[in-house]
């Protein structure tokens, strides 16, 4: 068990922020986080977090996954004090960190997210993991399925994942898997690219438009300058930034602020929390 005091880190906020779709809170109030081919149980009390993993696993994977070496106070301190809306959003969601998720899992997750709501996205991903992932057991003895590798999905018929409730998104995911397996899309190379080139490469995948590419760039590749604009963000911009979001002021970490705004907008009402489509 690894225990750390971590400011500006709230697992409940991260779980509800629309970045990841397999993280969940258990009956004891702990968070269970599967990521790629591993999983962890975390207990949080205030800013004290206990990670049920070895020191090596924490250092080699989870510390980076949760972006724990970054000082988010630096971002918060740069918010314009005259911008009352952004100030309120950052206070409301100030425990959110930008995750460093595995690229393949993030591609599939956001292909599924298009015109979909969070509850249904979670169900879709659970379905494909149960059917096509590898069954494993975590340190506590809990059984789970890993996120399916591209090879597990590339041989499927394009409509086969409709049985997992993906609907028309089934062909997006299957074609993406085929592109990876064939070598037409290189995961490692894309992960090494700067933001503009990575965004362009991602948009070469069938079904990936600019918004989805920006989500992947931000929430997997950690290009903090990416600023995905979905319906929630667009509405916020129309209400509060009629002349456009002041990106120049926040150059290099616009995506952090995007997450504060998105979370603030998403949880503005119970209906939005439960049913609003992400529209990526």
């Amino acid at each position: 068990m690894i225990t750390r005091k971590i400011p500006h880190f709230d697992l409940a906020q991260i779980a509800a922020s629309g970045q990841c779709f397999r993280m969940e809170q258990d009956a004891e109030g702990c968070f269970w986080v599967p990521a790629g081919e591993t999983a962890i149980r975390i207990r949080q009390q205030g800013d004290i977090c206990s990670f049920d993993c070895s020191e090596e696993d924490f250092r080699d994977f989870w510390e980076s996954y949760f972006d724990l070496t970054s000082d988010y106070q630096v971002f918060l301190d740069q918010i314009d004090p005259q911008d009352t809306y952004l100030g309120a959003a950052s206070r409301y969601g100030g425990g959110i960190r930008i995750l460093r998720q595995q690229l393949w899992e993030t591609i599939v997750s956001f292909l599924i997210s298009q015109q979909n709501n969070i509850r249904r996205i979670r169900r879709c991903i659970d379905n494909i993991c149960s059917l096509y992932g590898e069954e494993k057991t975590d340190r506590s003895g809990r059984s789970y399925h890993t996120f399916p590798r591209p090879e597990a999905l590339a041989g499927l018929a394009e409509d086969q994942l409709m049985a997992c409730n993906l609907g028309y998104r089934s062909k997006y995911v299957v074609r993406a898997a085929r592109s990876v397996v064939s070598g037409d899309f290189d995961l490692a190379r894309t992960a090494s690219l700067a933001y503009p080139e990575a965004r362009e490469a991602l948009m070469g995948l069938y079904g990936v438009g600019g918004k989805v590419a920006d989500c992947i760039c931000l929430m997997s590749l950690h290009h903090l300058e990416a600023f995905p604009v979905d319906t929630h963000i667009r509405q916020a911009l129309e209400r509060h930034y009629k002349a456009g979001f002041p990106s120049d002021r926040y150059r290099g970490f616009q995506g952090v602020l995007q997450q504060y705004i998105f979370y603030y907008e998403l949880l503005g009402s119970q209906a939005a929390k439960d049913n609003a489509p992400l529209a990526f």
Side-chain angles (χ1 to χ4, degrees):
M1 187 74 72
I2 307 300
T3 300
R4 295 285 190 276
K5 182 176 182 179
I6 309 169
H8 306 301
F9 181 66
D10 189 314
L11 288 165
Q13 291 183 3
I14 294 170
S17 69
Q19 290 188 72
C20 57
F21 304 101
R22 301 189 71 197
M23 187 173 170
E24 62 184 49
Q25 192 168 17
D26 65 23
E28 297 178 23
C30 295
F31 282 86
W32 188 73
V33 188
E37 298 190 1
T38 189
I40 193 172
R41 191 170 187 257
I42 310 170
R43 180 181 296 277
Q44 180 169 21
Q45 294 179 307
D47 58 2
I48 304 299
C49 296
S50 296
F51 298 80
D52 188 9
C53 66
S54 67
E55 183 73 44
E56 181 181 14
D57 286 344
F58 179 79
R59 182 183 64 249
D60 292 347
F61 186 82
W62 295 109
E63 188 174 49
S64 174
Y65 179 85
F66 286 113
D67 197 27
L68 298 182
T69 59
S70 295
D71 183 359
Y72 277 61
Q73 187 63 51
V74 172
F75 305 137
L76 294 166
D77 287 345
Q78 295 182 67
I79 293 175
D80 184 352
Q82 301 301 314
D83 191 337
T84 56
Y85 171 77
L86 187 55
S90 66
R91 289 189 295 273
Y92 190 78
I96 294 171
R97 287 182 177 245
I98 307 299
L99 301 178
R100 295 177 184 267
Q101 301 178 83
Q102 292 184 347
L103 180 54
W104 169 243
E105 180 172 353
T106 313
I107 289 170
V108 174
S109 296
F110 282 95
L111 281 171
I112 292 171
S113 77
Q114 298 180 76
Q115 298 296 330
N116 218 342
N117 64 65
I118 289 178
R119 184 178 298 171
R120 191 165 182 269
I121 297 165
R122 290 182 183 275
R123 188 164 61 247
C124 292
I125 292 174
D126 283 345
N127 289 341
I128 65 171
C129 290
S130 296
L131 282 176
Y132 301 105
E134 178 185 349
E135 187 170 5
K136 287 190 174 183
T137 304
D138 69 9
R139 281 165 55 106
S140 70
R142 175 170 176 165
S143 177
Y144 69 99
H145 287 85
T146 64
F147 199 85
R149 298 175 180 176
E151 293 80 5
L153 304 177
L156 302 179
E158 288 192 358
D159 62 353
Q160 201 161 339
L161 293 177
M162 294 179 73
C164 295
N165 300 114
L166 268 66
Y168 68 87
R169 307 164 195 85
S170 174
K171 62 184 176 183
Y172 295 169
V173 174
V174 172
R175 289 193 189 184
R178 291 174 181 172
S179 293
V180 172
V181 171
S182 70
D184 289 342
F185 184 85
D186 190 324
L187 292 169
R189 178 180 178 277
T190 302
S192 72
L193 297 174
Y195 167 56
E197 290 77 21
R199 187 178 191 270
E200 183 178 0
L202 287 162
M203 290 177 65
L205 289 170
Y206 181 72
V208 175
K211 287 174 286 188
V212 168
D214 277 333
C215 288
I216 299 165
C217 283
L218 178 62
M219 299 163 194
S220 172
L221 303 181
H222 215 67
H223 294 304
L224 298 186
E225 63 268 50
F227 192 91
V229 178
D230 78 324
T231 53
H232 299 290
I233 297 297
R234 185 176 296 108
Q235 289 166 4
L237 296 179
E238 290 171 353
R239 287 196 306 270
H240 303 286
Y241 301 99
K242 295 186 184 301
F245 187 74
S247 293
D248 287 345
R249 180 186 178 97
Y250 305 116
R251 188 166 301 280
F253 64 100
Q254 301 97 309
V256 177
L257 306 181
Q258 186 272 358
Q259 273 292 281
Y260 295 152
I261 294 171
F262 179 82
Y263 181 75
Y264 194 45
E265 292 292 315
L266 188 67
L267 298 187
S269 69
Q270 188 65 40
K273 188 190 308 183
D274 291 342
N275 300 310
L278 296 187
F280 284 126

